[in-house]
């Protein structure tokens, strides 16, 4: 394995991730992918540690993926669901986190509809002087680091299965299409992909892709280009990431109709002809079939990496928990 670069207690954002940290995660995830292909699928790396999943917002794949990752590392897991918790009796988020701390949680995986909640909990843990690692599993529109890392692992291990690394994307063109404004997945992916030196092209309607996103490209290794038409973003692209229209986060009428949106920005077989012949399509899920991507394309293994993304998610989250938990062999 390549040299390990890891000193972080918390993973809250990818904005300041270094190439060494990305490569450490990719290589560690590759080792765990191997573990997952064995019969036992488990290692004792985090035996005795407690991972608390605090999901204050609905989730299917991220929550299950973190739970499975913790179990494959032999950690004990605690799952919290706000609807059946003491929060319904008025307990605050910080007091909820402190309750899990008192039960011996070593790591907290946190999802919340408001940006900044994982940071606030991490800050409180540091203030208390306890060695608890906090992982942001999606906060509002801010960031979703583990999703961007599993996307990165999915595409770099497709390019080199044995040795996935950031530098493999240096000459690639990657289009991110759709509701960028409301997407924490897009923001985390912009950080990781521009760190690789890739050309990152964002495309979406002006109401969902404000000009201010261009600022995220300042000082990054890779180029960041914005388009309000989809065609120039797809032209000769190596990878396309589509995003869900996150209507639960829209506060105004930002779209004419779903049909018109699909006509202008939907990923279809016809549109993929603009891309490189071996184009691959990613989507973080959940998918609105027939809106951001045509339904048949989503299920076509020649183009779609969607189920690989879910599979990669477990290995990548094992890598994150393992490194945050002290990386014991
Ligand atoms: C995303 C999320 O929750 O941010 N999904 C996920 O974690 N796989 C994207 C979305 O909600 O559209």
């Amino acid at each position: 394995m390549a040299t390990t670069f890891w000193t972080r207690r918390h993973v809250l954002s990818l904005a300041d991730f270094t190439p060494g940290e990305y490569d450490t995660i990719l290589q560690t995830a590759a080792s765990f992918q191997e573990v997952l292909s064995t019969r036992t699928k488990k290692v004792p790396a985090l035996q005795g540690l407690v991972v608390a999943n605090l999901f204050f917002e609905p989730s299917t794949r991220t929550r299950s993926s973190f739970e499975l990752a913790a179990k494959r590392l032999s950690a004990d897991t605690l799952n919290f669901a706000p609807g059946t918790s003491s929060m319904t009796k008025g307990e605050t988020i910080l007091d909820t986190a402190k309750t899990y701390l008192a039960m011996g949680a070593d790591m907290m995986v946190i999802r919340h509809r408001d940006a900044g909640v994982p940071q606030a909990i991490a800050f409180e843990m540091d203030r208390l002087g306890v060695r608890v690692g906090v992982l942001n599993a999606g906060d509002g529109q801010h960031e979703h680091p583990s999703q961007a890392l599993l996307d990165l692992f999915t595409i770099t291990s497709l390019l080199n299965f044995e040795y996935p690394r950031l530098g493999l994307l240096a000459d690639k063109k990657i289009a991110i299409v759709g509701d960028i404004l409301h997407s924490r997945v897009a923001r985390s992916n912009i950080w990781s992909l521009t760190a690789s030196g890739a050309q990152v092209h964002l495309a979406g309607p002006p109401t969902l892709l404000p000009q201010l996103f261009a600022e995220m490209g300042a000082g990054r290794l890779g180029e960041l280009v914005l388009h309000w038409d989809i065609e120039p973003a797809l032209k000769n692209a190596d990878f396309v990431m589509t995003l869900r229209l996150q209507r639960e986060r829209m506060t105004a009428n930002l779209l004419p109709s779903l049909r018109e949106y699909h006509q202008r920005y939907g990923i279809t077989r016809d549109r993929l002809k603009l891309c490189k012949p071996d184009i691959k399509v990613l989507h973080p899920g959940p998918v609105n079939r027939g809106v951001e991507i045509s339904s048949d394309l989503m299920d076509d293994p020649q183009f779609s990496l969607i189920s690989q993304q879910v599979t990669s998610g477990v290995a990548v989250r094992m890598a994150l928990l393992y490194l945050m938990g002290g990386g014991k062999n």
Side-chain angles (χ1 to χ4, degrees), residues 57 61-62 111 144 147 184-185 244 246 249 284-286:
E57 193 198 67
R61 59 215 93 212
T62 307
R111 166 168 291 194
H144 193 345
Q147 179 68 44
R184 51 197 178 204
V185 175
R244 188 173 64 89
Q246 293 145 86
R249 299 202 183 110

Side-chain angles (χ1 to χ4, degrees), residues 42-79:
K42 250 183 149 148
V43 283
L46 297 189
Q47 212 158 42
L49 296 197
V50 176
V51 176
N53 282 319
L54 310 183
F55 278 63
F56 298 92
E57 193 198 67
S59 167
T60 304
R61 59 215 93 212
T62 307
R63 204 196 58 73
S64 307
S65 179
F66 269 113
E67 184 175 357
L68 189 57
K71 287 185 165 148
R72 298 290 198 216
L73 293 167
S74 309
D76 293 311
T77 55
L78 295 171
N79 285 308

Side-chain angles (χ1 to χ4, degrees), residues 55 57-63 111 137-140 143-144 146-147 150 182-186 242-246 248-249 283-288 292 310 317:
F55 278 63
E57 193 198 67
S59 167
T60 304
R61 59 215 93 212
T62 307
R63 204 196 58 73
R111 166 168 291 194
D139 63 331
E143 282 216 45
H144 193 345
S146 67
Q147 179 68 44
L150 77 87
H182 299 100
S183 177
R184 51 197 178 204
V185 175
T242 63
L243 299 168
R244 188 173 64 89
L245 283 176
Q246 293 145 86
E248 76 279 12
R249 299 202 183 110
H283 191 305
V287 179
N288 295 306
E292 57 263 6
V310 176
R317 290 178 172 121

Side-chain angles (χ1 to χ4, degrees), residues 227-242:
H227 307 274
W228 292 332
D229 288 315
I230 189 173
E231 286 76 17
L234 294 189
K235 195 160 189 288
N236 291 324
D238 297 278
F239 296 98
V240 182
M241 294 183 171
T242 63

Side-chain angles (χ1 to χ4, degrees), residues 154-161 163 165 168-169 172 239:
T154 306
I155 57 183
T156 53
S157 48
L158 191 75
L159 297 169
N160 188 327
F161 184 75
Y163 187 23
R165 57 197 187 279
L168 292 169
L169 300 184
K172 302 293 179 205
F239 296 98

